[in-house]
Amino acid sequence: MSNIAHDYIEDYIRSLIPERKDHIKLMEDYAKENSIPIVHPEVAQFLKVLIKSHKIKKIIEVGTAIGYSSSVMAEAAGEGSQIVTIERDDNMYRLALENIKFCGFEDRIKVIKGDALEVLEGLEGSFDMVFLDAAKGHYDHFLTHCIRLLRQGGLLISDNVLFRGMIATNKLLIRRKITIVKRMRKYLEHISNMKELETVVLPVGDGIAMSCKL
Ligand SMILES: C[S@@+](CC[C@H](N)C(=O)[O-])C[C@H]1O[C@@H](n2cnc3c(N)ncnc32)[C@H](O)[C@@H]1O
């Protein structure tokens, strides 16, 4: 129960997504068996449509985990795409490298090991999209760099912004999550009111914010 959409709606939407039989599917199974939080299937689908429809080629991802979403995005972005993805955890970093190699996307995906804020500070260039999927309480810290690194018209996609419904109502709030919730609410208010961005929050997966750099 995500507390974002009714279960029957979520189940129905997921039933429409064609099942895969390749290494991407093995990554989905591995994540499930090992409780690794990868993007929800409908979020992966949303990213694919966005990337294909906007011909997105240059992407920064914050939060690689096992390399699932970066592989999904690399496949959608196609030949010649460039994805820089950042992961601070040793084990995740190693698994991501293995998975990306297995998918044959080493030429499209560069995994950088380190803390996202430090890595972002050192990055230069103009990217079509930034996908934020790391520690939920820290999105606001990454924001200045995300905006700096996006081209005009580029997209900032922030995942898990409704965090099991807790962001929208205190009725669902778990006490030990209060700091994350407060920070996420502040982040959403921030990106919704910045003159540099136009933002929409969508009840897809665990909640997505899609912002366009003006
Ligand atoms: C939700 S998972 C990413 C899932 C991945 N995007 C996918 O869908 O396949 C979040 C990951 O971000 C990493 N992470 C969290 N905070 C980070 C930070 N400040 N810098 C780098 N990595 C971070 C965690 O170690 C974790 O593996």
Side-chain angles (χ1 to χ4, degrees), residues 36-39 61-70 86-89 92 114-117 131 133-135 138 142 159-160:
I36 296 165
I38 58 169
V39 287
E61 176 183 63
V62 181
T64 317
I66 59 170
Y68 173 74
S69 51
S70 53
I86 309 166
E87 177 57 55
R88 66 179 173 192
D89 180 89
M92 290 295 142
D115 180 72
L117 189 58
F131 179 50
D133 191 21
H138 294 105
F142 307 140
D159 198 20
N160 306 108

Side-chain angles (χ1 to χ4, degrees), residues 4-156:
I4 309 289
H6 292 294
D7 285 355
Y8 72 94
I9 299 278
E10 202 172 83
D11 291 347
Y12 175 67
I13 291 173
R14 287 182 186 179
S15 78
L16 294 171
I17 301 171
E19 197 178 332
R20 310 187 55 132
K21 293 190 171 57
D22 54 7
H23 194 72
I24 300 253
K25 166 78 173 131
L26 291 182
M27 279 194 255
E28 287 171 2
D29 294 344
Y30 182 88
K32 203 169 184 181
E33 280 157 24
N34 294 280
S35 306
I36 296 165
I38 58 169
V39 287
H40 294 206
E42 57 276 19
V43 174
Q45 202 58 28
F46 176 82
L47 291 171
K48 281 160 72 173
V49 173
L50 210 57
I51 288 168
K52 290 183 182 188
S53 60
H54 286 67
K55 299 189 170 47
I56 285 169
K57 289 284 181 193
K58 287 186 73 180
I59 302 169
I60 296 174
E61 176 183 63
V62 181
T64 317
I66 59 170
Y68 173 74
S69 51
S70 53
S71 298
V72 166
M73 292 193 288
E75 186 184 53
E79 295 259 335
S81 56
Q82 275 177 266
I83 299 178
V84 175
T85 179
I86 309 166
E87 177 57 55
R88 66 179 173 192
D89 180 89
D90 270 329
N91 194 35
M92 290 295 142
Y93 171 75
R94 195 180 43 77
L95 284 169
L97 290 182
E98 279 175 21
N99 283 321
I100 289 164
K101 190 168 179 207
F102 208 93
C103 290
F105 292 143
E106 310 102 294
D107 57 334
R108 302 182 197 177
I109 306 174
K110 181 178 176 190
V111 190
I112 302 181
K113 196 180 142 341
D115 180 72
L117 189 58
E118 284 169 27
V119 175
L120 286 170
E121 269 166 6
L123 286 181
E124 295 295 336
S126 174
F127 290 80
D128 302 314
M129 186 170 112
V130 176
F131 179 50
L132 271 189
D133 191 21
K136 287 178 266 298
H138 294 105
Y139 284 7
D140 217 36
H141 303 155
F142 307 140
L143 190 56
T144 312
H145 291 295
C146 293
I147 294 174
R148 173 179 65 81
L149 290 161
L150 274 176
R151 67 165 166 80
Q152 211 177 359
L155 296 172
L156 170 63

